[in-house]
Amino acid sequence: MLDSADQSDRIAEILEAHLGLEGPLLPILHAIQEAFGYVPDSAVPQIAAALTLSKAEVHGVISFYHDFRAKPAGRHVLKLCRAESCQTMGADAVADRIKRALGIDWHETTADGRVTLEPVFCLGLCACGPAAMVDGRLVGRCDEGIVAEVAQ
Amino acid sequence: MKIYVPLDSAAVALGADKLVSAIQAEGARRGVTVDVVRNGSRGMIWLEPLVEVVGSEGRLGFGPMTVADVPGLFGDLFAHPKALGLVEELPWMKGQTRLTFARVGVIDPLSLEEYRAHGGLAGLERAKGMTKAEIVAEVTESGLRGRGGAGFPTGIKWKTVSEAPGEQKYIVCNADEGDSATFADRMLMEGDPFTLIEGMAIAGLACGATKGYVYIRSEYPVAIRVMEAAVRIGREAGVLGPVFDMEIRTGAGAYVCGEETSLLNSLEGKRGVVRAKPPLPALQGFLGRPTVVNNVISLASVPVIMARGAAYYKDFGLGRSRGTIPLQIAGNVKHGGLYEVAFGLTLGQIVNEIGGGTATGRPVKAVQVGGPLGAWFPVSLFDTPFGYEEFAGKDGLIGHAGLTIADDTVDMLAMARFAMEFCAIESCGKCTPCRIGSTRGVETLDRLARGDTSAIPLITDLCNTMKAGSLCALGGFTPYPVLSALTHFPDDFVHAKEAAE
């Protein structure tokens, strides 16, 4: 974990690197989340000042998009597709079994901080569903066996 | 020894990366030099990972491959248990008319030399010798319509931007392909990124735009990586530069950003909220400047139109649906994947003959055409020809040409509820019919599920309000899956009542 001064310096670097872009806010937020695993609240005033936006506007953008987190996720992030094509291949039942195995519901993290479970609406793997993404890695025709991959 | 192993997301999701390691290890063990090329997918997803070995008579296919099948690739190829024969001769490949997807799966996606050798850049070269008006006229004449779903004539949109006054204009590619059952944009970007770049460069010439953006959804990490690499290569080779340059931007998980005005707001760094039209994006789009917003497949179809002429492209299709359409056959289907063909096949031919029916072997009950905002079609409408007007005539839409096939275990009331729930989750909140209507829709369908059939007129009325009063297709089209489920599968809506009694 970076201390707050280091964090602020890193955010300043990210801001500096993106200010030349047209519409820089989303690339900045992605870069901050890439660096820290989430977008810390303390980043909001810093971003707002750099882009001459209000803090409310920056907060509004962060909270609009499903991708941006306000706090760190578990060590693993398991995303399961909930969309129609995967549903026709039994995605709902697979998701129920995975939720039971992990003891959590959507958007929750296991008590030991091991895994965060999130729904996703389509990974473009619609002819080999149910689809999943484990820490950024794509998985087709997944079943509850995927839980073993996030066991550590 | 030259072996193709796809880098396509679907192939990777089914184990392609592990195969590459296994092939290289096996080659090293046998002292055979193996040249592994990561190509796009041929679109036969049920055969992925589909590995191709270059033989004297062509490319031999093997699939679906597992690591255990790898040593066999170094022995008698014809005796290999996963041998499929020459890939080009497979019925799935021979039945298609691949214009937009001609190179996908064939070439190394990041080799500009191979792209050129397979006809790439011929369209751009021709466009360079034409006036803006001539390029626009050629695209208009081809009959190309927006492949993102709306079906608006591409040439007309370009004409508006081309003739609009403005110092700075933009070409924005909508690669926020969020509809379930669609993956054509992803496959094109992963398998032949230079086609999209060339199409955008031609659009730039036609409209006087010097800057382009591709807005790719964050759920597509492979497509983002390949497109970013292709843009770098294109820049180094001078395909992109002062005349026209482009950037790749990543979305952030909001489905509504596939709507063009939401996408523009998102690109500008704002909440992805829908803008009221007018003003049209063509006149006041990105940063308030004239902007073409086109889907990946619309733009990627332009190079072949420019290279071979409008008449050639227009010759395919039926009615006012000209050219080819990359069908994406998905869900519970035996042979799922991408199949590019002229408009005009019937829904039944697509589902039963090409798709081979369901993966589970059970009867097909319903097919949702056009993503989560498309109508569910029963088997009784399987004679509907695939075309914009033909589907509209049956209270449906072709959208981005994705088909979700469901067997007889599907509960259509549950699917209708899901459509409303999805709309409630993804609504941008700008207009009331979508923001509030979707939540009321979930509640009303839950009443139906409890056996309260007095909710049927209410859900119908609510759907009409959403259709007529929403600002964009999210609220406006969510009624399609709901009403089509109710119309074609009424038993699923009253069955709940009987169960309750």
Side-chain angles (χ1 to χ4, degrees):
Chain A
M1 203 56 141
L2 295 172
D3 66 31
S4 62
D6 286 345
Q7 188 168 292
S8 170
D9 289 349
R10 182 75 190 94
I11 291 170
E13 277 172 31
I14 289 169
L15 288 167
E16 179 66 28
H18 290 85
L19 282 179
L21 299 179
E22 293 176 310
L25 185 49
L26 257 64
I28 286 169
L29 293 173
H30 276 302
I32 291 174
Q33 181 146 308
E34 172 85 23
F36 303 110
Y38 68 111
V39 181
D41 284 342
S42 63
V44 173
Q46 217 178 329
I47 298 168
L51 301 185
T52 50
L53 295 169
S54 70
K55 285 183 281 184
E57 283 170 308
V58 176
H59 173 78
V61 171
I62 295 169
S63 59
F64 182 86
Y65 296 96
H66 299 303
D67 280 3
F68 301 125
R69 304 172 193 288
K71 56 182 199 304
R75 290 196 297 282
H76 300 286
V77 177
L78 175 55
K79 297 186 182 195
L80 300 176
C81 180
R82 282 195 62 204
E84 288 87 346
S85 287
C86 287
Q87 284 186 44
T88 66
M89 292 304 286
D92 287 344
V94 169
D96 285 344
R97 289 197 289 271
I98 289 172
K99 284 185 208 171
R100 268 201 303 278
L102 294 172
I104 52 172
D105 205 342
W106 298 121
H107 304 290
E108 292 179 354
T109 302
T110 51
D112 58 3
R114 184 166 47 90
V115 50
T116 299
L117 182 66
E118 292 181 343
V120 62
F121 294 95
C122 199
L123 293 165
L125 304 175
C126 320
C128 54
M133 193 187 247
V134 189
D135 301 331
R137 193 171 58 78
L138 298 164
V139 181
R141 294 193 199 107
C142 93
D143 57 26
E144 54 274 29
I146 203 169
V147 170
E149 300 192 27
V150 290
Q152 296 305 309
Chain B
M1 189 175 181
K2 192 169 184 177
I3 301 184
Y4 288 86
V5 184
L7 56 66
D8 181 277
S9 292
V12 169
L14 296 170
D17 289 350
K18 282 185 191 132
L19 288 177
V20 172
S21 315
I23 288 167
Q24 279 162 345
E26 186 67 20
R29 199 177 69 78
R30 292 172 184 254
V32 178
T33 310
V34 187
D35 176 17
V36 176
V37 179
R38 302 304 300 268
N39 58 338
S41 170
R42 297 279 193 161
M44 296 175 280
I45 306 298
W46 77 98
L47 293 177
E48 293 288 0
L50 174 67
V51 168
E52 296 173 51
V53 178
V54 180
S56 52
E57 54 296 279
R59 285 161 64 163
L60 295 163
F62 302 86
M65 283 284 290
T66 65
V67 169
D69 299 318
V70 167
L73 294 177
F74 294 82
D76 178 4
L77 290 176
F78 294 94
H80 195 287
K82 298 289 175 70
L84 302 163
L86 289 169
V87 173
E88 299 286 353
E89 297 300 316
L90 293 173
W92 179 276
M93 298 307 299
K94 287 187 81 172
Q96 297 185 60
T97 303
R98 285 206 164 196
L99 303 183
T100 308
F101 281 77
R103 286 174 291 260
V104 175
V106 177
I107 64 168
D108 175 348
L110 292 174
S111 165
L112 198 53
E113 294 69 39
E114 284 190 35
Y115 180 68
R116 243 193 215 105
H118 284 78
L121 297 177
L124 181 59
E125 288 306 319
R126 178 165 170 241
K128 281 178 181 167
M130 295 164 75
T131 65
K132 284 162 61 178
E134 283 168 352
I135 304 171
V136 169
E138 188 84 18
V139 173
T140 307
E141 178 57 27
S142 75
L144 178 66
R145 293 166 69 175
R147 297 288 190 247
F152 188 82
T154 305
I156 307 282
K157 193 183 270 185
W158 287 20
K159 186 168 192 282
T160 310
V161 176
S162 187
E163 292 172 357
E167 287 288 298
Q168 177 70 58
K169 302 178 187 177
Y170 296 98
I171 308 299
V172 171
C173 173
N174 183 345
D176 196 36
E177 181 178 52
D179 290 353
S180 181
T182 65
F183 43 86
D185 297 354
R186 178 184 66 63
M187 273 186 58
L188 190 288
M189 291 188 287
E190 292 173 356
D192 192 16
F194 292 120
T195 298
L196 176 56
I197 292 174
E198 183 182 352
M200 289 180 70
I202 294 170
L205 289 178
C207 300
T210 54
K211 185 80 200 246
Y213 289 94
V214 186
Y215 184 95
I216 308 178
R217 58 201 300 265
S218 61
E219 292 86 346
Y220 282 2
V222 179
I224 292 167
R225 176 167 55 80
V226 175
M227 282 302 304
E228 282 180 340
V231 166
R232 271 198 304 276
I233 293 165
R235 217 174 266 151
E236 283 161 16
V239 174
L240 294 171
V243 177
F244 184 80
D245 206 347
M246 58 195 277
E247 276 178 43
I248 308 302
R249 289 291 175 91
T250 305
Y255 173 78
V256 75
C257 289
E259 198 282 333
E260 61 175 357
T261 63
S262 293
L263 186 151
L264 291 171
N265 275 338
S266 184
L267 206 54
E268 290 180 11
K270 299 173 182 160
R271 291 165 70 88
V273 171
V274 174
R275 299 177 185 171
K277 289 190 275 193
L280 292 172
L283 299 173
Q284 292 176 45
F286 183 57
L287 302 173
R289 295 164 180 157
T291 304
V292 165
V293 186
N294 275 155
N295 169 256
V296 173
I297 303 302
S298 313
L299 288 163
S301 297
V302 168
V304 69
I305 290 168
M306 294 307 297
R308 305 181 81 160
Y312 174 79
Y313 190 80
K314 192 182 184 176
D315 207 31
F316 298 96
L318 95 158
R320 288 175 50 213
S321 307
R322 309 311 314 172
T324 58
I325 183 84
L327 301 167
Q328 299 130 82
I329 308 171
N332 188 343
V333 63
K334 191 173 173 195
H335 296 153
L338 183 133
Y339 195 94
E340 183 179 353
V341 69
F343 285 97
L345 287 181
T346 67
L347 182 56
Q349 283 175 305
I350 296 166
V351 173
N352 292 323
E353 292 171 29
I354 300 170
T358 64
T360 47
R362 302 183 66 94
V364 175
K365 176 167 170 176
V367 181
Q368 187 177 32
V369 184
L373 307 176
W376 287 95
F377 276 68
V379 174
S380 59
L381 291 178
F382 268 20
D383 58 350
T384 311
F386 208 87
Y388 293 100
E389 280 69 31
E390 291 71 15
F391 268 65
K394 299 283 165 68
D395 291 324
L397 48 104
I398 64 170
H400 190 47
L403 299 95
T404 295
I405 295 162
D407 72 12
D408 62 350
T409 61
V410 69
D411 173 358
M412 298 309 295
L413 174 55
M415 297 315 291
R417 186 192 189 279
F418 178 79
M420 284 291 187
E421 183 195 3
F422 180 71
C423 182
I425 294 170
E426 296 298 333
S427 176
C428 82
K430 173 96 171 180
C431 71
T432 314
C434 175
R435 183 183 69 245
I436 308 288
S438 51
T439 297
R440 294 291 95 89
V442 172
E443 293 164 0
T444 310
L445 289 164
D446 282 343
R447 271 176 62 187
L448 264 165
R450 288 194 299 269
D452 180 1
T453 47
S454 70
I456 287 180
L458 199 59
I459 194 74
T460 309
D461 189 48
L462 175 65
C463 281
N464 287 331
T465 302
M466 288 175 72
K467 262 186 174 176
S470 297
L471 267 179
C472 83
L474 179 49
F477 287 8
T478 291
Y480 276 98
V482 177
L483 289 177
S484 59
L486 183 60
T487 304
H488 300 304
F489 305 94
D491 290 354
D492 284 17
F493 289 76
V494 296
H495 183 255
K497 179 180 166 69
E498 286 159 11
E501 286 166 351

